[in-house]
């Protein structure tokens, strides 16, 4: 009850809807408003459980103690997000991370890859998060971008006038914070946010790849989701871009003549992948460390199919 009373006092003390930077989150009140009674029940259960290794649970119980709380507030406000949404979103992020370890342990017992990933993404804290911030995943360019192959690819897509998840208002905030060093806890959150981002597609989508990795989020989750959307909205067309990284780190696109150019969009995944494969097989310089990951990924794929390249 003390937590609820403190929360009410903090809210009542705001002037013109604003609060001091150090004011506490609204705790149980925030959870009930954002995610309903089930989240409140889990919050109370967590408070009664013995402490575990790691700080995720500690931060879920005391969100303003997290070192990045102030940065999260500042960036969310700069993005035009209302204070109460900022509070609730932070509580849901930290609550979800505290819960994800158990969800991952359950998922690890599932043999099927797709079912295992689906269970890892079933964390209700993260699904409530995207319901809360969904409007802040909108794009501000005529086209949406999806990618695989490292953050440099995301930046490449953005420079060319497309909007990847990391350049949406909420995606930009998540991308610039650490929150937790445990990627196994963060990855399911990113997958849930990505799913919400793709679900909003109503325009052409440009897909950028510098390696063909069938188990990537792009190919296992995002593209199949887009295919389903295409059946209802023909405006959602896919444009595929095969990328090669030059020795200086510059990304260029591979055209059908195996030349590196500024723009080489394909209307089918197969043609895009074929161009990328052929370039890596015939042209790639093994002394170019920047392009070696893509070459290795391709070689592993061919080797698994009985056609080793090394």
């Amino acid at each position: 009850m003390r937590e609820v009373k403190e929360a009410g006092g903090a809210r009542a003390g705001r002037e013109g809807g604003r609060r001091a930077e150090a004011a506490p989150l609204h705790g149980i009140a925030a959870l009930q408003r954002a995610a309903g009674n089930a989240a409140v029940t889990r919050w109370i259960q967590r408070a009664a459980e013995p402490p575990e290794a790691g700080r995720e649970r500690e931060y879920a119980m005391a969100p303003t103690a997290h070192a990045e709380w102030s940065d999260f507030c500042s960036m969310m406000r700069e993005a035009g997000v209302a204070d109460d949404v900022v509070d609730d979103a932070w509580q849901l992020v930290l609550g979800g991370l505290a819960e994800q370890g158990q969800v991952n342990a359950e998922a690890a017992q599932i043999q099927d890859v797709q079912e295992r990933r689906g269970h890892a993404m079933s964390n209700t804290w993260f699904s409530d998060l995207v319901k809360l911030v969904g409007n802040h995943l909108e794009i501000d360019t005529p086209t949406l971008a999806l990618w695989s192959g490292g953050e440099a690819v995301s930046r490449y897509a953005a420079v060319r006038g497309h909007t990847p998840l990391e350049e949406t208002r909420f995606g930009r905030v998540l991308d610039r914070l650490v929150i937790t060093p445990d990627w196994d806890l963060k990855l399911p959150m990113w997958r849930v946010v990505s799913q919400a981002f793709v679900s909003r597609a109503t325009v052409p989508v440009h897909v950028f790849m510098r390696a063909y990795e069938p188990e990537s989020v792009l190919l296992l989750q995002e593209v199949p989701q887009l295919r389903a959307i295409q059946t209802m909205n023909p405006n959602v067309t896919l444009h595929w871009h095969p990328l090669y990284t030059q020795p200086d780190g510059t990304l260029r696109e591979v055209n059908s003549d195996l030349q590196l150019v500024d723009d080489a969009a394909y209307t089918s995944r197969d043609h895009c992948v074929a161009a990328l494969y052929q370039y890596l097989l015939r042209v790639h310089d093994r002394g170019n460390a920047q392009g070696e990951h893509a070459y290795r990924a391709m070689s592993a794929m061919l080797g698994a199919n009985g056609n080793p390249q090394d």
Side-chain angles (χ1 to χ4, degrees):
M1 292 298 295
R2 179 183 177 191
E3 179 76 17
V4 176
K5 289 179 182 178
E6 289 179 351
R11 182 174 289 279
R14 291 180 181 175
E15 288 187 16
R18 297 177 63 84
R19 59 164 172 69
E21 193 71 37
L25 287 179
H26 313 311
I28 292 177
L31 283 181
Q32 188 167 36
R33 180 177 65 244
N37 291 332
V40 172
T41 300
R42 186 67 190 102
W43 193 93
I44 294 171
Q45 289 173 341
R46 183 182 291 119
E49 292 172 353
E52 296 179 347
R55 304 201 65 183
E56 283 75 23
R57 174 171 297 185
E58 178 182 336
Y59 288 137
M61 299 304 298
T64 57
H66 194 289
E68 290 182 317
W69 157 240
S70 178
D71 291 337
F72 181 82
C73 287
S74 298
M75 287 190 285
M76 290 284 275
R77 288 173 184 158
E78 288 173 7
V81 182
D83 278 355
D84 58 343
V85 174
V86 173
D87 289 354
D88 294 347
W90 188 240
Q91 180 78 70
L92 290 170
V93 167
L94 296 183
L97 293 175
E99 194 84 3
Q100 191 62 41
Q102 178 60 37
V103 177
N104 286 347
E106 295 167 0
Q109 304 304 311
I110 300 173
Q111 296 299 316
D112 182 80
V113 174
Q114 287 285 41
E115 290 183 15
R116 184 164 63 246
R117 287 192 179 211
H119 189 82
M121 292 172 58
S122 68
N123 190 327
T124 58
W125 295 77
F126 296 150
S127 58
D128 287 328
L129 172 67
V130 296
K131 291 176 187 175
L132 181 69
V133 302
N135 288 340
H136 300 290
L137 296 172
E138 293 178 342
I139 68 173
D140 55 7
T141 59
T143 48
L144 181 149
L146 299 178
W147 57 272
S148 70
E151 292 185 5
V153 182
S154 175
R155 294 191 293 270
Y156 176 91
V159 167
R160 277 149 184 78
H162 314 290
T163 300
L165 170 59
E166 296 77 16
E167 292 301 323
T168 62
R169 291 190 296 276
F170 185 65
R172 188 179 296 116
V173 174
L174 281 188
D175 191 48
R176 284 155 177 74
L177 297 177
V178 175
I179 309 179
T180 175
D182 190 336
W183 183 243
D184 287 340
L185 301 182
K186 282 194 291 191
L187 179 58
M189 176 176 67
W190 271 107
R191 286 176 173 165
V192 172
V193 173
S194 173
Q195 187 176 60
F197 173 63
V198 173
S199 72
R200 305 181 72 86
T202 58
V203 297
V205 177
H206 288 255
V207 182
F208 298 85
M209 298 190 304
R210 63 175 170 184
Y212 180 63
E213 298 174 305
E215 294 192 2
S216 64
V217 174
L218 171 68
L219 296 179
L220 270 186
Q221 174 184 316
E222 294 172 336
V223 171
Q225 187 181 353
L226 279 175
R227 296 298 190 195
I229 292 172
Q230 283 184 300
T231 64
M232 298 177 287
N233 186 348
N235 293 325
V236 180
T237 54
L238 270 63
H239 307 267
W240 298 80
H241 301 256
L243 302 179
Y244 180 75
T245 312
Q246 299 183 116
D248 64 357
T250 302
L251 290 171
R252 301 291 303 281
E253 303 191 17
V254 182
N255 70 12
S256 58
D257 295 324
L258 303 187
Q259 300 296 315
L260 296 181
V261 297
D262 291 334
D263 181 34
Y266 296 79
T267 56
S268 82
R269 183 200 65 179
D270 290 348
H271 289 154
C272 170
V273 172
L276 182 59
Y277 270 12
Q278 290 301 315
Y279 189 88
L280 290 169
L281 281 171
R282 299 181 183 183
V283 184
H284 169 63
D285 178 0
R286 297 299 304 277
N288 174 13
Q290 296 288 344
E292 190 65 8
H293 171 77
Y295 177 85
R296 289 287 180 184
M298 179 210 67
S299 295
M301 285 288 299
L302 293 177
N305 292 324
N307 297 291
Q309 295 302 304
D310 287 335

